Amino acid sequence: MNTERIFEEFPAPSYRGAQESALRDVRDAFEAGNDVVLVRAPTGSGKSLLARAIAGCAQTIEEADPSEPSGAYYTTPQVSQLDDVAADDLLSDLNVIRGKSNYNCILPHERDTPVNQAPCVRERGYDCSVKHRCPYFSDRAIASNREIAAMTLAYFMQTAGSEVFRTRDVVVVDEAHGLAEWAEMYATIRLGPRSVPIWEDLRVPDIGGVDRAARYAENLAQTCTRRKDELLAQESLTPADVRERDRLQELIGELEWFVSDYRDPESPTTWLIDQEPPADADRASGANGSDGEDAELGGPLTIKPMNPERYLRHTVWDRGNKFALLSATILNKDAFCRQVGLRPENVALVDVEHTFPVENRPLYDVTQGKMTYDQRDDTLPKIARTIVRIMQEHPDEKGLVHAHSYAIQERLADLLRDFGVGERIRTHTRDGRDADLEEWKASDDPDMFLSVKMEEALDLKGDLCRFQVLCKAPFLNTGDSRVAHRLEEGQWAWYYRTALRTIIQGCGRVVRAPDDYGATYLADSSLLDLFDRARTDMPDWFEAQVDRMNAPSLPSFDPQAAVIGTGGANRSSSGRSSPGRSPSTSASGSRTGDRSQSGSGSRSSSDRNRSSTRESSRSSPLADVWDTDG
């Protein structure tokens, strides 16, 4: 790695914010002998450009000895971020490669067929006359031979051990804060009717423990291998046969990895087993996949790894010499290193200064009580009324509500419609989330979008969104076996830190540049408790936002005022909100108007600084291309 090139490899004509000093710190960290550098860069700092400069320091083929790796990988878990990288003229030399299913065959009668189901994979010995022009193999050849190959984290992990994508000198991982969780997700094995093609032919026992799960997995892998070999023996396969064959091959690899890791006495991985009850207790067809013991029948099961260090070593850490991991929310260096199997003494942390004025990204305390499951029925109607008042405060501006779950989204939408503001509300479904999001973004109407799990990878620059509401503290589900296992071990700091990370990511959706602005309203009082518990893990720039948090003076509840001018008419005549204006705060800092007092006693707004009404530019500045709509 030649870090002296880091400035000349920066792809933009000039620096903005703290980019130049960040590159200097990254260079110094690598030159100090660190193999891994964590770059904690706030939203809008231009992480993609920093990533490109770091990747450009990789040894070239000419510089490296024949036995040494050269070039760089750029990878991200977010497909939308990869799309933006591919579309950015400044990043044109990041050669993007995607999985086969993202490309269509170019043969005349197969142009609607994905490459992974084309004749070349359906027919034995098929000699494709246009393979040299196949979009997938062309992109793969280009990416494998250029200095910087860009791909999703899923594709990067799947190509571990590939002869095409071998070890490179530098690996850059964006949004790396979730690396441990992504690895756990990829290494999780789900055995059920949707994931096992031959499920209906299996006799699944009541597993009961990890040791028996390993024996069952070993036998199931053999059963899958026999079925796969039957398919391979055929001269020609249908697209459905191809899908079955490929899934069987993938499943065999997953099962063999689990068995190998579980039986390795030096593996640090802890495995957990979740099993559902059988759908039909009388099902007795076939003994394929059985471990040979008489036992109660069981249903679908999930085999989950905890902190899969060995899996990450194989899929990530063995893929490069030097690593740069970028994120706004690597909150605790030592804890992060423990989760992903790194030695903290070999890892440096570079903090990039936040250059967005804190007054442009205010937090407002409009908490109405707790949104825990047992208190939600009482709290949610109060939150809905508060949201109406927030809509009144922003009558001609678009807003976003982080609903946390589809159940909350549905109930909240019903309440808002009952209040008479439904014409200004948009929602999305599980299957149509991307299309619904894009439709809302493209609209000029000041509608409010009720979203689920959109705290990350969403770029709402400028007038795309001027306010957002956090409905619920995003704590992980304690019913999940992995979460429960960690909490049984006393890992509460991890639990609070994970929720804080999601909040910080969410708060970054609406302020994307130094002259952008947007308000974030906190509706769940558990958010305030979380800030107290996780304060030691807050980045300084977010702690400044929390310290300035205050209780705004919102308009009195008037649903009609919240929908004045809906449909594109000028709604500034209401006088409640002008461009760039923050909600005013009450003189005493107390909650005003139609507000619940629950939970207010523990935090006094008078201890916080008050933000004043301000005027800001209504321009839509360029946003950080890393955190984009997804």
Side-chain angles (χ1 to χ4, degrees):
M1 183 180 192
N2 184 358
T3 55
E4 290 301 318
R5 287 204 303 265
I6 198 165
F7 296 105
E8 64 186 71
E9 290 291 333
F10 186 73
S14 61
Y15 300 108
R16 65 178 173 88
Q19 288 174 333
E20 186 174 13
S21 61
L23 290 178
R24 186 178 299 110
D25 291 343
V26 171
R27 179 199 63 189
D28 294 346
F30 278 120
E31 290 183 351
N34 295 288
D35 294 328
V36 181
V37 176
L38 311 182
V39 184
R40 187 160 58 188
T43 298
S45 53
K47 292 192 292 294
S48 60
L49 305 181
L50 299 178
R52 170 59 187 83
I54 297 168
C57 296
Q59 287 191 114
T60 64
I61 294 177
E62 294 75 21
E63 293 170 337
D65 292 337
S67 60
E68 293 179 334
S70 63
Y73 288 116
Y74 160 73
T75 181
T76 171
Q78 300 291 347
V79 174
S80 59
Q81 292 177 6
L82 195 66
D83 292 340
D84 278 354
V85 165
D88 194 324
D89 290 340
L90 293 175
L91 304 173
S92 58
D93 58 349
L94 269 66
N95 292 274
V96 174
I97 175 65
R98 308 172 193 271
K100 281 185 178 181
S101 62
N102 294 280
Y103 300 85
N104 281 349
C105 181
I106 58 174
L107 290 171
H109 301 294
E110 300 283 349
R111 294 191 176 174
D112 292 328
T113 304
V115 170
N116 64 340
Q117 298 174 30
C120 58
V121 296
R122 296 200 313 260
E123 300 178 23
R124 187 193 300 178
Y126 185 85
D127 184 15
C128 181
S129 60
V130 294
K131 184 176 181 179
H132 62 290
R133 293 192 290 113
C134 173
Y136 169 72
F137 287 103
S138 295
D139 275 8
R140 191 182 72 164
I142 292 170
S144 65
N145 287 289
R146 296 289 175 84
E147 292 295 329
I148 306 175
M151 59 193 70
T152 64
L153 186 62
Y155 188 86
F156 180 68
M157 288 181 164
Q158 290 166 3
T159 55
S162 164
E163 287 297 313
V164 177
F165 293 108
R166 302 181 181 183
T167 299
R168 293 201 172 193
D169 188 36
V170 174
V171 176
V172 178
V173 183
D174 181 52
E175 299 300 344
H177 57 268
L179 189 57
E181 289 86 348
W182 282 92
E184 287 181 354
M185 184 186 73
Y186 291 139
T188 292
I189 305 170
R190 294 175 176 81
L191 303 178
R194 298 183 63 181
S195 58
V196 181
I198 56 174
W199 181 257
E200 295 303 321
D201 298 328
L202 299 177
R203 183 180 185 276
V204 185
D206 183 7
I207 295 299
V210 183
D211 189 62
R212 190 169 187 191
R215 296 201 306 273
Y216 179 74
E218 193 170 38
N219 289 331
L220 179 57
Q222 295 173 1
T223 302
C224 291
T225 299
R226 288 194 292 271
R227 172 55 183 161
K228 183 199 71 174
D229 290 344
E230 291 175 5
L231 292 170
L232 290 175
Q234 299 179 28
E235 292 293 329
S236 179
L237 300 176
T238 66
D241 291 336
V242 170
R243 289 192 296 271
E244 179 180 350
R245 180 201 63 194
D246 291 348
R247 176 54 193 148
L248 287 169
Q249 183 59 55
E250 183 181 39
L251 181 58
I252 292 165
E254 293 172 352
L255 294 167
E256 290 178 345
W257 171 266
F258 160 58
V259 173
S260 171
D261 184 87
Y262 175 68
R263 292 179 176 168
D264 181 354
E266 297 182 1
S267 173
T269 311
T270 297
W271 291 91
L272 303 176
I273 307 298
D274 293 339
Q275 187 167 24
E276 301 173 21
D280 181 1
D282 296 326
R283 180 167 59 96
S285 60
N288 289 337
S290 169
D291 60 4
E293 299 181 12
D294 293 330
E296 295 288 334
L297 289 178
L301 66 150
T302 305
I303 305 172
K304 301 178 178 180
M306 299 285 297
N307 295 343
E309 299 173 18
R310 184 167 172 246
Y311 182 81
L312 278 170
R313 184 168 66 247
H314 169 65
T315 58
V316 177
W317 307 130
D318 288 346
R319 308 288 298 280
N321 291 335
K322 302 289 185 180
F323 294 83
L325 312 182
L326 296 91
S327 171
T329 51
I330 297 177
L331 302 181
N332 184 301
K333 172 193 166 184
D334 289 348
F336 175 82
C337 290
R338 286 195 300 270
Q339 282 186 296
V340 299
L342 294 174
R343 296 172 61 88
E345 59 269 25
N346 297 333
V347 178
L349 175 63
V350 169
D351 263 316
V352 180
E353 179 187 1
H354 203 318
T355 59
F356 298 0
V358 67
E359 60 268 21
N360 285 15
R361 41 187 172 93
L363 300 179
Y364 292 114
D365 176 1
V366 295
T367 53
Q368 297 297 308
K370 291 191 174 184
M371 281 289 287
T372 53
Y373 187 78
D374 59 336
Q375 299 184 50
R376 188 176 303 167
D377 287 345
D378 292 333
T379 304
L380 199 53
K382 300 172 187 176
I383 290 178
R385 290 179 67 88
T386 301
I387 288 176
V388 172
R389 298 169 67 206
I390 293 170
M391 295 167 70
Q392 294 170 234
E393 185 67 37
H394 300 268
D396 56 355
E397 295 174 328
K398 299 172 76 169
L400 179 75
V401 174
H402 296 283
H404 185 72
S405 71
Y406 283 98
I408 294 175
Q409 179 207 54
E410 182 178 355
R411 176 64 177 141
L412 191 58
D414 288 342
L415 287 166
L416 292 171
R417 292 186 188 107
D418 290 343
F419 288 146
V421 298
E423 58 192 294
R424 199 178 159 191
I425 300 300
R426 290 175 183 248
T427 62
H428 66 84
T429 62
R430 285 180 174 84
D431 295 333
R433 53 184 286 132
D434 291 343
D436 294 333
L437 173 65
E438 290 305 316
E439 183 178 345
W440 169 69
K441 289 171 62 178
S443 172
D444 292 330
D445 294 332
D447 292 340
M448 190 173 64
F449 192 63
L450 307 188
S451 71
V452 178
K453 301 299 182 185
M454 290 190 181
E455 294 91 351
E456 296 190 41
L458 182 59
D459 176 8
L460 298 177
K461 58 180 177 287
D463 289 337
L464 285 177
C465 188
R466 290 300 183 190
F467 70 94
Q468 61 179 347
V469 183
L470 302 186
C471 276
K472 185 182 182 304
F475 291 115
L476 296 176
N477 180 8
T478 55
D480 181 272
S481 57
R482 271 191 290 239
V483 177
H485 180 85
R486 288 191 171 103
L487 295 184
E488 287 171 3
E489 295 184 337
Q491 296 184 36
W492 287 97
W494 162 83
Y495 184 68
Y496 295 125
R497 188 165 50 243
T498 302
L500 176 64
R501 190 179 73 192
T502 302
I503 292 168
I504 295 174
Q505 289 283 344
C507 288
R509 296 311 97 209
V510 298
V511 182
R512 312 295 300 176
D515 55 349
D516 200 357
Y517 60 89
T520 298
Y521 295 87
L522 309 179
D524 179 3
S525 60
S526 294
L527 291 163
L528 307 183
D529 296 335
L530 174 60
F531 288 164
D532 288 337
R533 293 176 182 274
R535 180 168 282 267
T536 57
D537 286 320
M538 283 184 188
D540 292 344
W541 55 267
F542 187 74
E543 188 172 14
Q545 285 180 258
V546 173
D547 288 342
R548 289 178 57 89
M549 181 170 55
N550 53 58
S553 178
L554 297 173
S556 297
F557 181 74
D558 183 359
Q560 186 174 2
V563 293
I564 284 179
T566 298
N570 185 349
R571 305 192 297 169
S572 61
S573 59
S574 67
R576 297 307 316 172
S577 180
S578 59
R581 179 186 169 194
S582 297
S584 59
T585 57
S586 61
S588 66
S590 63
R591 293 170 175 80
T592 61
D594 186 21
R595 295 287 309 276
S596 165
Q597 298 299 314
S598 63
S600 63
S602 63
R603 279 184 83 93
S604 171
S605 310
S606 61
D607 293 333
R608 308 182 187 110
N609 295 326
R610 301 292 189 266
S611 63
S612 60
T613 301
R614 58 186 164 76
E615 294 294 328
S616 300
S617 167
R618 289 186 67 86
S619 62
S620 298
L622 289 176
D624 168 17
V625 299
W626 284 92
D627 296 320
T628 55
D629 39 306

